[in-house]
Amino acid sequence: MRKHNKRNRKVRKCIEGPNFSGQHFMHHKPTIRELIQLASIGSEDTVVDIGAGKGALTFPLSDRGCGVLAVEYDKALATYLKEKAKCFNNIHVFHQNILGFPLPKRPFKVVANIPYAITTEIMKKLLSDSASMLQNGVIVMEYGAAKRFTSFPQKNPDIILWRMWFDLKIIKRLPASYFSPPPSVSSAVLKIRRKTTPLVSYKNGQHFHALVSYALAYPKQPLSRALSGIFTPRQVTHLVKTLNVSRETSINQLREEQWKTVFETMSKHVERRYWPSVKKKR
């Protein structure tokens, strides 16, 4: 009898909020409504809810009439959510790791309180692939991660690539009391919006990423030295004037528009054999 009760307690604990993947379930209803409002959800939208848990966001999203893809890795939670969603024809529950989940091939949005432990991996999945159809997102994550994604100066090539295609903005911080179990770190709401016109075309994403990765190998290096392996001294002089910066400006001080200029200059004036190599995907 004791073993049975112990097993039941484990299942109940799992359903009420496991933290095996750094996930903290939101229960503050005003904030849940605010997240959905920020995403401007319409009845024609497809919305992905990552780390859906017991459906704190899933069911309010479904009330908007949109199609909801609720992705939950934990088996007990996924089973619970599937049972609860049986009478909703616009909710589809997937027991799957989001990192292996095939994203919709049509335009979609994300409204989610994601597992903190895999925040960066989730962001890469959503924002790094030029074929991603993500239009906008409102994501609750660790505040420190949100700060990294929006900070300046920036030395992470992945994040710079994201910013060429998306606007990233911290909307607000959230207290630990809004979650169960309460996280030991600060939380934030990050809003993602696809740029109407990308600063670098999607087809050139890999070449742009290779350029930024090469230049930022030593982030505090002077711009003139960081780019010397790609551009001739004369080209560097011209580029410095175009960017309206000093030759001694640290390469990590460039803004998105300036990175766009560097890439366009390379594309127009540098022979392909001098371009940084694109790493092959595994």
Side-chain angles (χ1 to χ4, degrees):
M1 186 67 178
R2 288 181 180 178
K3 290 184 178 179
H4 177 73
N5 287 340
K6 185 177 181 180
R7 183 165 61 250
N8 282 347
R9 284 198 299 273
K10 285 183 177 179
V11 173
R12 185 164 59 251
K13 181 180 180 182
C14 184
I15 291 176
E16 290 175 353
N19 197 27
F20 67 94
S21 60
Q23 192 162 3
H24 303 273
F25 298 102
M26 182 179 291
H27 54 70
H28 190 254
K29 291 183 179 180
T31 298
I32 289 171
R33 291 194 292 269
E34 183 180 3
L35 297 179
I36 296 172
Q37 187 68 32
L38 282 168
S40 302
I41 302 299
S43 59
E44 300 300 316
D45 288 324
T46 296
V47 184
V48 180
D49 179 6
I50 301 169
K54 294 190 293 180
L57 284 166
T58 308
F59 295 102
L61 281 167
S62 74
D63 289 341
R64 294 296 181 100
C66 61
V68 184
L69 308 182
V71 185
E72 175 54 54
Y73 179 68
D74 182 76
K75 185 176 180 180
L77 285 169
T79 300
Y80 173 87
L81 189 56
K82 283 181 180 180
E83 184 65 28
K84 191 176 177 182
K86 275 185 177 179
C87 58
F88 293 82
N89 58 15
N90 63 334
I91 297 176
H92 301 278
V93 179
F94 299 87
H95 170 218
Q96 197 166 345
N97 185 333
I98 184 60
L99 301 182
F101 179 74
L103 296 174
K105 296 186 181 301
R106 60 188 182 279
F108 70 96
K109 299 179 179 180
V110 170
V111 179
N113 172 28
I114 64 175
Y116 290 8
I118 53 172
T119 296
T120 299
E121 290 84 352
I122 290 173
M123 291 290 283
K124 284 182 179 180
K125 182 178 181 69
L126 294 173
L127 306 182
S128 291
D129 188 348
S130 61
S132 172
M133 296 296 286
L134 175 67
Q135 300 305 301
N136 68 48
V138 178
I139 300 178
V140 175
M141 62 179 63
E142 181 188 350
Y143 177 75
K147 195 72 174 175
R148 288 197 304 275
F149 301 149
T150 56
S151 66
F152 178 84
Q154 184 56 245
K155 62 181 181 180
N156 187 313
D158 291 331
I159 296 173
I160 293 173
L161 175 63
W162 301 345
R163 293 187 191 177
M164 306 309 283
W165 296 339
F166 297 91
D167 294 316
L168 307 178
K169 181 181 179 182
I170 295 176
I171 301 299
K172 64 190 299 184
R173 296 179 76 158
L174 300 175
S177 60
Y178 286 9
F179 303 87
S180 179
S184 59
V185 294
S186 296
S187 302
V189 177
L190 182 75
K191 185 171 183 179
I192 302 168
R193 183 171 61 87
R194 184 179 290 274
K195 293 180 183 294
T196 304
T197 303
L199 296 180
V200 169
S201 68
Y202 302 117
K203 69 177 182 180
N204 285 326
Q206 286 185 306
H207 288 296
F208 176 80
H209 188 273
L211 164 65
V212 178
S213 298
Y214 175 91
L216 287 172
Y218 301 97
K220 294 185 178 181
Q221 194 168 221
L223 179 151
S224 57
R225 186 179 303 168
L227 298 175
S228 62
I230 303 171
F231 299 92
T232 66
R234 187 174 180 179
Q235 288 171 334
V236 170
T237 298
H238 174 75
L239 186 58
V240 166
K241 289 181 180 179
T242 304
L243 295 174
N244 193 28
V245 297
S246 163
R247 296 174 64 88
E248 299 307 309
T249 298
S250 298
I251 191 67
N252 68 344
Q253 293 290 327
L254 294 186
R255 298 278 184 178
E256 286 84 9
E257 289 283 352
Q258 291 173 312
W259 278 116
K260 173 187 176 182
T261 298
V262 174
F263 181 74
E264 289 178 343
T265 302
M266 183 183 78
S267 301
K268 292 177 182 177
H269 303 293
V270 177
E271 293 181 41
R272 281 279 184 136
R273 57 181 173 148
Y274 296 118
W275 289 23
S277 300
V278 172
K279 292 183 179 179
K280 294 182 179 180
K281 291 184 179 180
R282 294 182 179 180

